[in-house]
Amino acid sequence: MLTSFSAGAGGATPPALTNLKWLNSRRLRIWAGCDFPDFLPKQVEKIKDPYARKLASRIERIPVNFSKGCVMSSCVKPKEQKEANPVVLLHGFDSTCLEWRYTLPLLEEAGLETWAVDILGWGFSDLGRLPSCDVAYKRDHLYQLWSTYIKRPMVLVGPSLGSAVAIDFSVHYPEAVDRLVLIDASVYAEGTGKLATLPKAVAYAGVYLLKSIPLRLYAASLAFNGLPISTCIDWTKIGRLHCLLPWWEDATVNFMISGGYNVIDQIKHVKHKTLIIWGEDDQIIDYKLGVRLHCEIPSATLRQIPQCGHIPHVQKPDIVSRLITEFVQSDQSQKAKPDSVSTVSVPMITGTCTSRYLAYPN
């Protein structure tokens, strides 16, 4: 099933583009002054976005024991435990749990037990004794965090490269996953490709460039549509905050030369019910790959968000939170109304797949 969402009230523009009136209307308490954990880089104080500041104040480190020892691992823990299976939010390549600054509060408001977890090698974990940050260790780290603290099948949410992390994890540890949510999924790249063969000196030079403000600003302009320059600068500060930790370069180079994620052959082994969310105007990953992914995962639903780029959970948090909430609760509440359905033909990339556009009731 493929569904197209109209941008109704509240989801049409990012909160930062509407002076945050939309999220404020939901009576979320936001403080301008926040107490930040001391392990965050001091530059966190320069971030203006109150939702990023609020979520940053909730980040904590918890001990995770795995094959390479103990890592004090950064995450945002849920405010309370619920009866239903928890939602666990991953992030994209070289990012942090702060990606979820707008959507996580809405998921909590909807009554979902919600974790935001930093993937090993990125985020704000203490990597003073640097473990390997390749795919196997990232997977092992996430499993040990799950088995120690979460302990129930989870709704695993992966945006961009986080989708590859989620697919890899679900295939290796199916018992730990209830269902998957994949957002603008980066799952058809063959790892880091030729970057894995670079001499270390060249790799470090490339990583230094990756941290640069001009490159990050350019990436933000690609990921989001029509972002004011002041917001773009602030979001760039949020997106590169973890790069200021002393071990970031080493961890990133370690991942790069390890070969990275190549999950192309694993996709057909995904057995979990899966929701695929895609921004219609994604300038980074072609929407046709979302259609292909929908066709290759047997129990998948594809839902498209118009006027939205590569990171819907930042740009359209209202719609993304509704989609995830409905998906989590779908066993009880997924009842399509006949008068809300219209069908169009959708070009398929591979295989045989029947898709429909469903008008979302605003």
Side-chain angles (χ1 to χ4, degrees):
M1 181 186 297
L2 186 150
T3 309
S4 180
F5 283 72
S6 62
T13 53
L17 305 187
T18 57
N19 296 319
L20 302 172
K21 290 180 180 178
W22 166 67
L23 279 178
N24 285 334
S25 71
R26 291 177 167 267
R27 299 179 182 176
L28 297 180
R29 298 181 64 191
I30 301 296
W31 294 272
C34 295
D35 292 328
F36 300 112
D38 58 10
F39 57 78
L40 293 182
K42 62 182 180 181
Q43 288 84 349
V44 67
E45 296 284 357
K46 298 181 180 180
I47 292 173
K48 297 178 181 179
D49 187 320
Y51 298 94
R53 293 175 65 88
K54 177 60 181 174
L55 193 60
S57 72
R58 289 181 57 186
I59 297 174
E60 56 185 288
R61 284 174 173 170
I62 56 178
V64 175
N65 291 290
F66 70 123
S67 55
K68 282 292 183 179
C70 180
V71 170
M72 296 300 295
S73 305
S74 51
C75 67
V76 175
K77 294 170 68 174
K79 291 182 177 180
E80 58 180 317
Q81 185 172 328
K82 306 285 186 176
E83 291 185 8
N85 288 334
V87 174
V88 177
L89 308 172
L90 304 177
H91 53 73
F93 169 74
D94 189 31
S95 187
T96 75
C97 57
L98 291 177
E99 276 189 23
W100 295 99
R101 56 192 177 272
Y102 301 136
T103 302
L104 183 145
L106 300 178
L107 294 173
E108 290 183 327
E109 189 183 60
L112 302 180
E113 178 184 333
T114 308
W115 293 71
V117 174
D118 282 335
I119 299 166
L120 180 71
W122 299 312
F124 302 103
S125 298
D126 184 354
L127 302 180
R129 297 186 209 172
L130 185 68
S132 176
C133 295
D134 63 14
V135 169
Y137 285 111
K138 290 181 189 294
R139 182 196 312 130
D140 185 26
H141 174 265
L142 179 57
Y143 177 77
Q144 296 304 331
L145 187 151
W146 171 81
S147 64
T148 303
Y149 298 99
I150 300 173
K151 301 178 181 178
R152 290 171 290 154
M154 55 187 170
V155 180
L156 189 58
V157 184
S160 194
L161 188 69
S163 293
V165 179
I167 286 174
D168 174 80
F169 185 86
S170 69
V171 170
H172 282 85
Y173 299 110
E175 73 281 3
V177 178
D178 174 35
R179 55 189 70 188
L180 293 172
V181 179
L182 309 177
I183 303 175
D184 288 74
S186 176
V187 295
Y188 290 108
E190 297 182 0
T192 54
K194 294 182 179 179
L195 296 177
T197 64
L198 290 176
K200 273 198 172 182
V202 178
Y204 273 97
V207 165
Y208 180 81
L209 180 63
L210 181 63
K211 182 170 67 172
S212 68
I213 292 176
L215 185 61
R216 295 268 170 170
L217 281 169
Y218 176 68
S221 70
L222 286 179
F224 304 104
N225 300 315
L227 202 62
I229 186 62
S230 59
T231 303
C232 194
I233 291 172
D234 197 46
W235 286 9
T236 297
K237 291 178 182 177
I238 297 168
R240 71 186 294 269
L241 185 64
H242 66 293
C243 301
L244 305 176
L245 293 171
W247 44 77
W248 174 81
E249 288 91 348
D250 293 333
T252 304
V253 168
N254 183 281
F255 173 74
M256 183 188 301
I257 64 178
S258 74
Y261 280 91
N262 184 347
V263 300
I264 297 172
D265 292 335
Q266 294 181 339
I267 293 171
K268 61 180 177 289
H269 298 296
V270 173
K271 305 302 182 186
H272 299 89
K273 189 174 181 181
T274 302
L275 170 64
I276 303 168
I277 301 173
W278 215 278
E280 185 181 61
D281 299 328
D282 190 336
Q283 300 299 306
I284 296 176
I285 302 185
D286 196 311
Y287 171 68
K288 291 180 181 179
L289 293 178
V291 177
R292 174 181 171 184
L293 184 62
H294 172 233
C295 293
E296 293 182 358
I297 296 179
S299 301
T301 299
L302 173 59
R303 297 202 166 181
Q304 184 182 23
I305 303 177
Q307 300 177 0
C308 183
H310 184 62
I311 312 182
H313 49 295
V314 174
Q315 196 170 3
K316 299 292 181 79
D318 187 26
I319 292 178
V320 171
S321 64
R322 279 186 283 168
L323 284 170
I324 293 175
T325 301
E326 290 172 1
F327 181 60
V328 171
Q329 299 172 347
S330 61
D331 289 341
Q332 293 79 32
S333 63
Q334 190 177 27
K335 296 180 180 178
K337 297 180 180 179
D339 59 359
S340 70
V341 177
S342 61
T343 62
V344 298
S345 60
V346 180
M348 295 299 112
I349 304 300
T350 59
T352 301
C353 180
T354 301
S355 299
R356 295 188 299 176
Y357 281 96
L358 301 186
Y360 187 76
N362 290 314

